[in-house]
Amino acid sequence: MAENSTVRSVTYDLLRSLGLTTVFGNPGSTEETFLQEFPDDFRYVLALQEASAIAMADAFAQVTRRPALVNLHSSAGVGNAMGNLVAAYHGNTPLIVTSGQQHRELMIGEPYLGNREATTMPKPWVKWSYEPYRAQDVPEAFMRAYAMALQPPAGPVFLSIPLDDWNQPLAGPARVRTVSTRVAPDAERLALFADRISASRRPALVFGPDVDRAGGWDAAVALAEKLRAAVYGAPLLDRASFPEDHPLFRGPLGMSVKTIGDRLAGHDLAVVIGAEVFRYYPYIPGDLLPAGTELLQITASPEVAGAARVGDSLLGDPKITIDLLLDLVAEGSARTAPEPMARPRVLPQVPSSPLTPPEVYAVLSRVRPPDSVIVNESTSTMAQQIEWLPTVRTGSFFATASGGIGWGVPAAVGVALADRDRGVTRPVIGLIGDGSSQYSVQALWTAAQHQLPVVYVVMRNDEYSILKSFAVLEETPGVPGLDLPGLGIAALARGWGCQAVDVATTDELEQEFKAALSADTPTVIVVRTQPQKAML
């Protein structure tokens, strides 16, 4: 055994070998035995609240395409993080989430800061949850956590580690293993799917976020063009997987049962790849599929396949499966190509005051660099964002996978940190609602501390506009708490160390946005806008 070899030193050596040298977190007293004498070759990204730490790590892992390590504080810290842990779970992000546990000798008496039923608390939003029975099992638990997080469907895992484990003596090194990260489809069933696709007269392709995660963007384009099929974005996308300016793109599929059924009318076959069938919300009754329409689903997740209410499913990595389909399906040259999607892009003849969201997006469409990446958490203007700022490159659009808010501001930090690690230079633009901006606002401090040139455009309409749209749909007048007067967003951002400015006109927005692109610090541009009725 190496001199002074401990559980901690063996674990850090293992983390090095796995490339897990960036730790996102907010430390507490039960974590300090892990973090003591923090190694020089590791980096600790401090978030001022645990929800921000999870979202930063989530986006970082998505962009770097490798797991990320998160360190949280006991039960209270894990509780703070849970909202964004839901997003990581639905987004299939490989995170290793750790939290400290009280000293083993105190646990029998339910001590202060003890994490009661620690492995139960993060469920069901982790793939695996574990607290080692012995201190000596900690490195092996990390190795298993790494394997579990990566294997398809990827996702977050959780480890609870008593604070007295880290200094226990342990011989090393830890055993390092490798695991598969992709699953190929069953060849016989794939051939049946290919035959049904080839026989379709008017197929629709629905590409979900897992296509882009799997690196299948170019393959998706090739498949659509070979089939001459209409392409729809899966409901409530958190990653775009097909160029939204492509002639075959028909826009988002919709969100409700009725809307999706209506959109698929006239198609004899819908092929859903890398997505759920479907992410429904809100509840508007209708037919799950229109008469005469069949559905095929391709997903790497048995859980997603099992939850589908209609159609036939095939398990397989989206990119591998699309690549194989390209060789198996027949050319669609006999099919009539769908009409290109209408893009009205109507603006007021006279500039509005306050501006409308389309006016804001029109300015950004003119001045944003073509290689920029968008992190969107302006929930009431998602349709206008697609219309004016279509995603045209792989890995350049990110949104929360959970439906909660408070993910976007810290996620933009994670994207920018990941790009810096990869040696990639591209503008990161956060499109944030004024309500969303307040949930994880502490992340602006982390962006400023790391001098990340993120440009946040916050549309301030002084209300939870998306909730007012739902109130109309659900016929629930008089709901309290939907107005947000008096938010000093720019002043708050300056307090966190960011550049910040309020703008009221399109000229001011264009000027400040261009200036922000050349800044070496994060910038928050607050634009007064009119409320936008969401397209539900």
Side-chain angles (χ1 to χ4, degrees), residues 83-417:
N84 281 332
L85 189 61
V86 176
Y89 180 85
H90 281 297
N92 295 333
T93 304
L95 298 183
I96 301 173
V97 181
T98 69
S99 81
Q101 177 61 291
Q102 256 289 8
H103 197 288
R104 287 180 183 270
E105 291 188 16
L106 292 178
M107 287 304 295
I108 188 65
E110 300 290 351
Y112 189 68
L113 295 182
N115 196 352
R116 183 179 299 181
E117 297 187 28
T119 59
T120 301
M121 186 175 183
K123 295 178 180 178
W125 306 116
V126 291
K127 291 179 61 181
W128 182 61
S129 186
Y130 188 69
E131 184 175 283
Y133 289 94
R134 306 180 307 153
Q136 292 76 15
D137 294 334
V138 169
E140 191 167 347
F142 268 92
M143 187 64 250
R144 183 175 174 185
Y146 181 85
M148 294 290 291
L150 270 178
Q151 290 180 106
V157 297
F158 177 78
L159 292 176
S160 170
I161 305 170
L163 65 87
D164 55 314
D165 283 6
W166 294 106
N167 291 324
Q168 297 299 314
L170 179 66
R175 289 184 293 270
V176 179
R177 304 173 53 238
T178 61
V179 294
S180 174
T181 60
R182 294 181 183 268
V183 176
D186 173 78
E188 183 176 350
R189 189 165 179 81
L190 178 66
L192 292 174
F193 272 42
D195 289 344
R196 291 175 66 180
I197 294 170
S198 297
S200 171
R201 300 183 309 279
R202 191 166 181 258
L205 294 174
V206 181
F207 291 121
D210 288 342
V211 173
D212 197 48
R213 288 192 188 97
W217 176 285
D218 292 337
V221 173
L223 181 64
E225 291 176 349
K226 183 172 184 178
L227 294 174
R228 301 187 78 183
V231 176
Y232 297 90
L236 298 164
L237 277 173
D238 51 285
R239 294 277 292 265
S241 294
F242 192 85
E244 293 170 344
D245 62 348
H246 194 284
L248 293 174
F249 185 66
R250 307 296 298 152
L253 189 58
M255 296 161 57
S256 69
V257 172
K258 184 180 187 307
T259 303
I260 292 171
D262 290 347
R263 291 282 275 158
L264 291 176
H267 293 288
D268 60 341
L269 181 67
V271 185
V272 181
I273 306 178
E276 300 163 41
V277 179
F278 288 106
R279 284 181 178 173
Y280 292 121
Y281 197 75
Y283 175 67
I284 302 176
D287 295 325
L288 294 176
L289 285 176
T293 304
E294 297 180 343
L295 186 142
L296 302 177
Q297 180 194 31
I298 296 167
T299 174
S301 171
E303 181 180 358
V304 167
R309 298 177 65 188
V310 290
D312 302 320
S313 296
L314 170 66
L315 292 176
D317 176 83
K319 183 182 185 302
I320 292 175
T321 306
I322 295 172
D323 285 340
L324 293 171
L325 280 175
L326 279 167
D327 292 331
L328 294 174
V329 297
E331 288 276 356
S333 55
R335 298 189 183 103
T336 301
E339 292 292 326
M341 183 177 68
R343 298 180 183 274
R345 292 190 172 183
V346 178
L347 293 173
Q349 292 185 344
V350 178
S352 305
S353 182
L355 297 175
T356 64
E359 287 175 294
V360 173
Y361 286 144
V363 172
L364 299 183
S365 71
R366 294 197 305 269
V367 298
R368 71 156 174 164
D371 62 341
S372 60
V373 56
I374 285 177
V375 178
N376 189 347
E377 198 168 271
S378 175
T379 55
S380 64
T381 67
M382 292 185 293
Q384 290 73 34
Q385 181 257 307
I386 293 175
E387 181 181 346
W388 288 94
L389 299 171
T391 302
V392 298
R393 287 177 172 80
T394 182
S396 61
F397 175 84
F398 299 88
T400 179
S402 71
I405 56 178
W407 185 87
V409 173
V413 174
V415 172
L417 282 171

Side-chain angles (χ1 to χ4, degrees), residues 57 86 117 142 159 268 324 342 421 438 458 465 501 514 524 536:
V86 176
E117 297 187 28
F142 268 92
L159 292 176
D268 60 341
L324 293 171
D421 274 16
Q438 299 305 296
V458 180
S465 190
V501 62
K514 288 179 177 178
V524 177
L536 304 175

Side-chain angles (χ1 to χ4, degrees), residues 66-87:
R66 63 177 190 265
L69 181 60
V70 185
N71 184 236
L72 305 177
H73 179 45
S74 199
S75 54
V78 176
N80 286 340
M82 285 291 287
N84 281 332
L85 189 61
V86 176

